[in-house]
Amino acid sequence: MPATTTAPTPTAAPAAEHTEVLREIERRVLWLATAAIHHANRVRPNPGGLKVGGHQASSASMTTIMTQLWFEQLRAGDRVSVKPHASPVLHAINALLGELDPAALTGLREFGGLQPYPSRTKDPDPVDYSTGSVGLGATAPLWAAVARRYVDAHGGDAGTGRQYALIGDAELDEGAIWEAMGDPVTPSLGELVWIVDFNRQSLDRVVPALSLTALAGKFEAAGWQVITAKYGRALEALFARPGGYRLRDRLDGMPNPEYQRLLRSSDAELVARLCAGGYDDLAAVVGDLEPRALRDAVRTLGGHDHDTLREAFAGIDDTRPTVIFAYTVKGRGLPMEGHPQNHSALLTAEQFAELADAMGMDAGHPFAVFEPDSAAGRACADAAERLRRGPVSPAAGFAPPAELGWQPKGVTNTQTALGRTLLDLTRRAPDLAARIVTVSPDVSSSTNLGGWVNKSKVWSASPERDWFDDDPETILHWRETKDGQHIELGIAETNLVGLLGELGATWSRWGFPLIPIGVVYDPFVARALEPWTFGMYAGGQSILVGTPSGVTLASEGGAHQSLLTPAIGLQQPGLLAYEPAFAVEVEWMLLEAIRRIGRADGVSSYLRLSTRPVEQSLAAVPDLPEARELRRRQVVAGGYVLRHADASPAATIVAMGALVPEALAAADTLAEAGVPVDVVVVTNAGLLFDAVQARSGVGVSGGAAGGAGADGEWLLRGILPANRAAPMVTVLDGHPHTLSFLAGVNGAPAAHLGVSRLSQAGDLASVYAYHGIDAASITRAVLHVTAAG
């Protein structure tokens, strides 16, 4: 297939000696990466017998590309996301650069050692991006490019530099790739370069119909520059021979599996296979070549040729994003080269010894690096000096006020309270508000961010005029400026949380902490959860708001009603998950979430909000300042007592979020019938679960990120004291298991109400009754559990 863009020849090509040194470094990188995987699987004791694994073939296909990048192309301000299965290559390079003790290569995939896939937070050597969840590490540099520009536009110093992603071609099957590639924010990101390791193999097979033409067309249609590095210099020289165009035609038209089989043919078969299918005349073109020379030419595709790669990099247009398709051979240089099942193949001890002999290495001392005074050693030292970055001053995080003093009155909902709190921050804590950046996938107005967007404007690297700024009927003003604080993306939740992760990592990348707040419809949080989790694993700290939520969104039908999201705080490590019942709680929770991000021990937060109108006087927030502060502390710690029965309670109703009014209504009905009940409101199930775990002596689960956690005994004693233990009914607009663990606090009989089947559209009363979470159902549950108790 022809190249989409022809890269110009560099005006000053490096001397041949330089390229030879580069090839020597490349061979050592391949050896060290291969040896690290071999040691983990064949040498290091493995008493449990569990497969260790590693990807020698996938690493080999990337060795030339990564050597060319690190030892010739990269500058200190550049950052690279390395495809997961090339992790050993990255560590081998870091060992040669002096950034990793070579002895650490023996700890690949060992507890406390080098991670299977690159990790910013767990590997001991420099890693720019965590990868491992296919597709997400590839897109991270795109979102980091946005974050870098945003930081620079708001007073930070993120410097300059390209953001590279090294991507396996099979990774292009992931939807996250195409969602990010086509987002409206992408075409302006000129510093973005994706390099596709185009080896045309997946885990199980050679991909028969992987079409570069189709792939390139998609990128070009989205405004990307496309560069193809297909053939190496040796093949290009053969193409230039008389009749050589026929060889190019033969290779261009050869199906992928046939080419892979060609690589594994014997010397005697090689010419015969090339000449098959009506290409008998090729014997005259290549017949004078030694078999080894012909084989080396055929297998040296563009991704394994430094001159070809050099041209590709020289052709990058830094005014728009670029994708480079670099043709490679999976497993190149190893015995499993080109085999369709080489993905997880490992060299045997005999093959490893033979490889050492062929490469001139010492199998008995496999992790040696270059002598400092050798040509390769000096080249490594020069590269290390060129790539050295200055230290990043650790961020201290944020110190928000405990509250802003808002006392909501009348009827409102928690979703509206989010917009109100953001605007209050601009007035009462402007320095803090200046660090807020909101992100939305085309739902700003429907999630009550309109006022904030009007106030703080929309960020854009290339502002456009708002043609409706003089329209009197326009409510949401779309003023795009470089100092705006809202970023609008296309309607793809994966993109939203991908950007949140990178905005949430600016505190560690550039020492400039931001307060990223993303807003998404709560039913689609599940769609975004895996990439958001991956961002947290990579060190990104952010706040995600899911709204509107639950079957409380009654008229929208089952497809837009969420039931899984309340349990996220129980199950997701490193996350504070809040669900407020009243507007003032949104303010307290958001300020607490801000306090917990932008620092080394920071965590992300999730707020689940509702559009249900609620009478705010039901919150019964105390007027006494000391009592009000205690309520605030309890809210951010996990829960509080909203109503105490005058006498010893016959039961305790524990409610969460939008269903607190139903709990209170049931309590009123029961009181009239002579059944006194306490009403407890849960604001963070994860914190309470950690407190219960700590009480049992098994430690904190990690799901609630510390918080009340191990020191949450004070809260448990306050909201569920043993002297008021009674049968319990829990209720929430979500799956009932979320609160079921609370029955174990005092060993009380319990019933758990919630949403455990798919819903349907209807009015609120009908939908609540359908799921058994209305006031009447709560009342019946209390009577049943007290009778049974």
Side-chain angles (χ1 to χ4, degrees), residues 566-618:
I568 289 173
L570 289 173
Q571 299 165 193
Q572 176 57 53
L575 180 69
L576 287 168
Y578 286 114
E579 184 162 350
F582 301 103
V584 70
E585 296 171 8
V586 176
E587 175 189 300
W588 294 340
M589 293 170 180
L590 186 62
L591 292 171
E592 176 66 11
I594 290 172
R595 187 180 70 81
R596 301 296 294 273
I597 64 176
R599 63 194 207 198
D601 62 345
V603 295
S604 294
S605 294
Y606 161 63
L607 273 64
R608 186 179 193 245
L609 308 184
S610 172
T611 51
R612 185 194 181 179
V614 173
E615 172 54 54
Q616 297 302 300
S617 63
L618 294 176

Side-chain angles (χ1 to χ4, degrees), residues 498-562:
L499 180 54
L500 277 184
E502 290 304 318
L503 291 169
T506 61
W507 67 273
S508 58
R509 287 200 193 283
W510 301 297
F512 190 86
L514 294 172
I515 304 169
I517 302 174
V519 179
V520 63
Y521 289 166
D522 193 72
F524 308 134
V525 167
R527 185 184 298 172
L529 185 57
E530 193 266 338
W532 190 41
T533 300
F534 187 75
M536 288 185 259
Y537 170 80
Q541 299 165 12
S542 59
I543 300 167
L544 184 62
V545 179
T547 183
S549 63
V551 300
T552 299
L553 191 61
S555 60
E556 290 289 336
H560 277 68
Q561 297 170 357
S562 53

